[in-house]
Amino acid sequence: VFARIFSTRPRHVKEFLTETREVGKEDALTYLNRHVKLNFFNSSKFIKKDYEDDKNAIIAFYNAQGYRDAEIVRDSVYQNESQLLEVDIEISEGRKYYFRNIEWTGNYVHDNKVLASVLNIETGDTYDLDKLNKRLEYNPTGPDISSLYMDNGYLFFNIQPVEVRVVGDSIDIEMRISEGQQATIRNVRVKGNDKTNDHVVMRELRTIPGQKFSRQDIIRTQQELGQLGYFDAEQIVPQPMPNPADGTVDIDWNVVERPSDQIELSGGWGGIFGFVGTLGLVFNNFSAKNALTPSMWRPVPSGDGQKLALRMQASGRNFQSYSATFSEPWLGGKKPNSFSINLSHSVQRQLDWSQPDLPVLGDLTVSGATVSLGRRVRWPDDYFSISNSLSFMVYGLNNFQGFSSFGFDQGTANNFTFNTTVSRSSISNPMYPRNGSQVSLSLNLTPPYSAFNNLDYESAPNSEKYNFLEYHKWMFDSKFYMQIAGDLVLETRAHFGFLGSYGSAVGVGPFERFTMGGAGLAAQGGMMFMIGRDIIGLRGYDDNSIDPTEGEGAEAISGGIAFNKLVMELRYPISLKPAATIYVHTFAEAGNTWNNYAEFNPFNINRSAGVGARIFMPAFGLIGIDWAYGFDEIPGRPGVNGAQFHFTIGQQIR
């Protein structure tokens, strides 16, 4: 399709249409290949509906530039000698207009000054109808007049902008307002929750019977229901039914259940290695009270919004891990106070690969339990939450000399920590956020044992020095989402972590350090796994390849005590259906770890870029594949960067 657009006054739309000329197909392809670097181009199909939409978009563009009288004078579609369609469009722009006087009538609740400040249109501004309508009805990037009224109960509010006079190129507008009375919510109903119990949905609603109607509460409720994960966030539809006669409104919430339970199953028999694979079950809408009533199983006890996760992972005799987690988001059922408990056990064995029966040379075991309580808070705003937890973990080393260097190979390290986390989340759809943000700051603290245990840390061996771990650990994570155009979304992320000690004599212990590289998984060296570390992904580099070491010999300790990582990712969805959420993305990221603060430099980072895709299926969780290229060589680790494929299963935090 060749398109030619003729304008009767082209000089008035700068940088849009400056001249009219025909460009041949070969010239266009040559230009695009040279500048855009794409290698596939096909002629567009002519679709009548899209053509009409495009003509309306052209006029809307002119209107937004102040050309209120712009119109399409003539258009034609015809076939040329090459059997391709040509489109000719002739436009009459008319005069460019500006706002002059804006007057308000019928307003009693808010005075002219308040309304004018929200509208934020000054005399002499370009006459932009799109901007005017957004400031009156719905402004996605700021306040608007309708929200000023409708967030305060004025559901029957109406405003009509009327052009009262045109003087030359200036237009006077009169804003005719009908405020109406405040509406009170009478009945609230939920429809479509076939599996989830009513009380689980109702406790998330901000539209409560007896309260004044608020459009903001409608929007927040949509976000809260979408974040539950039990319903298709794209199909949560509020239906207000106002009754002007008595000043009330009924609200129906229409939801569509989506499967939320997940199963992770992969495995095989590795001969002398034994079972190799993963078995994971996640029940995201569990009901503990119905667990002892088989008649309530559908096919498992569900509907109360609790979470039960069971997971077993094995790599033959080399590595096994078991964990169980139970979470209750509304402890007691009256307030959003969350409670969770986690039990875990992992063992990593060092095998003698030179022997046919692979005898065990040493092992590292990690056993732990964590109990946490959290609550939502209303300050600084009600997107915030605070959680606190107590955790106890025991690291047991038995002649262990694996890929991770802990400074000793025989002994036990006890890790008792208190964690507090402050987080804020304003995203509406957990699977494909289009806007909003997620920010969290967490702090882990251990008791300062060195202050009262009378141990001489200067001369004590590492096995005694780290028998009771002491440290403070700070973690910061942020994600911001911006809707570029349609469903095209830009995600930017920043992650930082710092591990410190209470005194120089003790130093930073060998556990809970940072290692970076790959997809953020714990696998290393084929059959080896890494535990006792925080694993930070960095695509384009081998798994855990950015892993600095301090000290030498038997007392060498690997892992960084500081890291930073920055990510930019451009996403576009292929499918947002409940059965499968699929999107493709391109990304650029960079990060590094350091084993002392003197060398810490947030700008000395390893860079990579690539493309990939994510598939979320309710039964299996999030599955991802990425191709990335790491640009920077890692000192002392030749060949760990370059072109790499990475696979992920499950939500990657960093």
Side-chain angles (χ1 to χ4, degrees):
V1 176
F2 293 99
R4 292 180 290 179
I5 301 178
F6 302 92
S7 172
T8 57
R9 296 168 61 91
R11 64 182 181 277
H12 288 296
V13 185
K14 296 179 180 178
E15 299 180 355
F16 179 64
L17 298 172
T18 56
E19 61 177 328
T20 301
R21 65 187 180 91
E22 183 175 346
V23 178
K25 180 179 179 180
E26 294 300 322
D27 291 337
L29 292 179
T30 300
Y31 177 86
L32 290 170
N33 273 312
R34 182 182 300 125
H35 293 85
V36 187
K37 304 301 182 186
L38 297 177
N39 57 6
F40 54 92
F41 296 99
N42 295 312
S43 298
S44 302
K45 294 182 180 179
F46 183 84
I47 301 174
K48 181 68 174 177
K49 181 180 181 303
D50 291 346
Y51 175 58
E52 296 298 328
D53 291 341
D54 287 344
K55 290 195 295 182
N56 292 333
I58 292 173
I59 297 303
F61 174 82
Y62 273 95
N63 290 160
Q65 308 305 312
Y67 295 91
R68 157 181 172 271
D69 301 329
E71 62 177 342
I72 294 177
V73 177
R74 178 187 63 84
D75 69 289
S76 60
V77 180
Y78 55 93
Q79 199 170 53
N80 62 18
E81 296 177 354
S82 301
Q83 303 302 308
L84 294 174
L85 292 182
E86 295 202 19
V87 179
D88 291 347
I89 300 176
E90 183 178 346
I91 298 173
S92 172
E93 294 177 351
R95 165 180 276 177
K96 184 172 183 176
Y97 290 90
Y98 302 88
F99 287 105
R100 194 173 71 161
N101 298 319
I102 298 178
E103 299 177 353
W104 304 87
T105 62
N107 54 304
Y108 301 98
V109 176
H110 300 289
D111 60 29
N112 295 356
K113 185 177 180 180
V114 171
L115 297 176
S117 65
V118 173
L119 187 66
N120 195 26
I121 294 177
E122 304 291 339
T123 299
D125 287 354
T126 298
Y127 189 75
D128 184 346
L129 289 176
D130 182 62
K131 176 181 177 181
L132 177 64
N133 290 328
K134 285 182 178 179
R135 300 286 174 83
L136 293 178
E137 299 295 337
Y138 181 70
N139 183 10
T141 61
D144 56 78
I145 301 299
S146 291
S147 64
L148 193 65
Y149 278 92
M150 297 186 74
D151 288 346
N152 196 27
Y154 290 91
L155 174 62
F156 311 110
F157 163 82
N158 180 266
I159 183 169
Q160 293 293 332
V162 179
E163 297 179 0
V164 293
R165 65 182 64 86
V166 178
V167 181
D169 62 355
S170 300
I171 299 176
D172 292 345
I173 302 291
E174 183 178 289
M175 302 294 186
R176 297 176 181 176
I177 295 175
S178 173
E179 294 177 336
Q181 60 179 318
Q182 288 178 300
T184 302
I185 299 173
R186 183 175 59 179
N187 298 314
V188 178
R189 294 175 290 266
V190 180
K191 299 179 179 180
N193 56 318
D194 302 323
K195 177 180 177 181
T196 306
N197 294 326
D198 285 346
H199 73 273
V200 174
V201 183
M202 298 298 288
R203 68 193 184 189
E204 300 292 341
L205 301 184
R206 294 172 179 260
T207 54
I208 309 300
Q211 291 186 352
K212 297 297 183 183
F213 176 85
S214 170
R215 188 175 72 176
Q216 180 60 33
D217 287 343
I218 294 281
I219 296 172
R220 278 301 302 276
T221 298
Q222 282 183 291
Q223 294 177 342
E224 300 291 349
L225 293 179
Q227 290 184 8
L228 289 176
Y230 313 146
F231 311 112
D232 179 13
E234 304 293 325
Q235 298 188 62
I236 298 175
V237 180
Q239 186 178 358
M241 293 173 287
N243 186 358
D246 60 5
T248 63
V249 57
D250 293 343
I251 302 176
D252 285 351
W253 285 97
N254 299 290
V255 298
V256 176
E257 293 267 13
R258 64 177 298 169
S260 58
D261 297 335
Q262 299 171 14
I263 182 171
E264 182 182 351
L265 179 61
S266 63
W269 187 258
I272 59 175
F273 300 104
F275 174 77
V276 177
T278 300
L279 173 62
L281 297 172
V282 180
F283 305 110
N284 282 305
N285 196 358
F286 190 70
S287 175
K289 72 177 183 180
N290 293 333
L292 300 178
T293 308
S295 61
M296 301 296 292
W297 290 34
R298 297 175 291 182
V300 295
S302 59
D304 280 341
Q306 299 162 345
K307 180 178 180 179
L308 177 64
L310 306 171
R311 197 169 192 268
M312 180 185 75
Q313 186 177 13
S315 179
R317 300 171 60 199
N318 176 234
F319 174 81
Q320 293 95 43
S321 179
Y322 313 90
S323 66
T325 304
F326 174 79
S327 301
E328 166 57 78
W330 284 68
L331 186 63
K334 295 183 178 180
K335 293 184 178 181
N337 297 326
S338 62
F339 166 80
S340 68
I341 182 170
N342 170 267
L343 303 174
S344 64
H345 176 75
S346 300
V347 57
Q348 179 178 332
R349 297 183 179 91
Q350 184 181 10
L351 306 178
D352 186 352
W353 301 97
S354 65
Q355 301 297 321
D357 57 346
L358 300 181
V360 177
L361 299 178
D363 60 65
L364 166 64
T365 61
V366 182
S367 301
T370 302
V371 177
S372 64
L373 289 171
R375 61 189 178 94
R376 301 178 192 174
V377 294
R378 297 184 175 274
W379 188 89
D381 61 34
D382 61 357
Y383 290 103
F384 278 83
S385 62
I386 297 176
S387 65
N388 300 296
S389 66
L390 291 174
S391 176
F392 180 68
M393 302 188 73
V394 179
Y395 300 92
L397 287 84
N398 177 27
N399 194 34
F400 182 76
Q401 299 175 3
F403 283 94
S404 302
S405 300
F406 297 108
F408 64 103
D409 57 18
Q410 190 75 35
T412 300
N414 299 281
N415 185 17
F416 181 76
T417 57
F418 169 76
N419 170 274
T420 184
T421 300
V422 179
S423 60
R424 184 184 188 275
S425 177
S426 61
I427 63 172
S428 58
N429 185 339
M431 293 317 307
Y432 193 79
R434 292 177 175 84
N435 47 57
S437 63
Q438 288 180 312
V439 182
S440 70
L441 175 65
S442 69
L443 169 63
N444 279 13
L445 296 171
T446 66
Y449 299 107
S450 59
F452 52 77
N453 64 2
N454 298 320
L455 179 66
D456 183 3
Y457 282 89
E458 296 289 346
S459 60
N462 283 350
S463 58
E464 293 184 21
K465 190 175 180 179
Y466 302 126
N467 182 230
F468 287 91
L469 299 176
E470 66 171 68
Y471 60 86
H472 53 90
K473 186 176 185 178
W474 303 76
M475 303 291 285
F476 174 80
D477 299 286
S478 65
K479 301 178 182 180
F480 294 88
Y481 300 91
M482 179 186 300
Q483 196 166 0
I484 304 299
D487 288 328
L488 183 65
V489 173
L490 174 67
E491 180 199 48
T492 57
R493 306 201 316 261
H495 309 280
F496 297 89
F498 301 95
L499 185 66
S501 64
Y502 298 121
S504 57
V506 182
V508 179
F511 298 96
E512 302 298 320
R513 291 187 173 221
F514 310 111
T515 182
M516 180 178 287
L521 304 177
Q524 178 171 340
M527 299 293 289
M528 284 296 292
F529 284 76
M530 182 175 289
I531 56 179
R533 292 283 186 265
D534 246 338
I535 312 298
I536 314 298
L538 187 65
R539 293 163 286 190
Y541 298 85
D542 285 352
D543 289 336
N544 313 316
S545 59
I546 306 174
D547 190 37
T549 300
E550 63 176 280
E552 297 180 355
E555 295 194 349
I557 297 176
S558 64
I561 63 173
F563 88 90
N564 76 310
K565 178 182 174 182
L566 305 173
V567 184
M568 293 184 66
E569 188 169 289
L570 198 62
R571 302 174 169 181
Y572 190 79
I574 304 301
S575 170
L576 296 176
K577 296 180 180 179
T581 297
I582 305 172
Y583 65 84
V584 294
H585 61 247
T586 180
F587 60 87
E589 61 186 29
N592 205 354
T593 62
W594 298 266
N595 58 14
N596 65 76
Y597 291 119
E599 296 179 359
F600 174 74
N601 180 356
F603 302 104
N604 178 22
I605 47 184
N606 305 295
R607 302 159 299 165
S608 67
V611 296
R614 293 292 183 270
I615 303 173
F616 178 84
M617 293 182 291
F620 299 101
L622 189 66
I623 302 172
I625 180 172
D626 295 301
W627 178 89
Y629 188 89
F631 298 104
D632 300 299
E633 293 187 0
I634 306 302
R637 301 292 303 276
V640 300
N641 66 302
Q644 307 234 355
F645 279 100
H646 301 284
F647 298 91
T648 59
I649 299 177
Q651 187 71 40
Q652 301 300 304
I653 299 175
R654 300 179 183 91

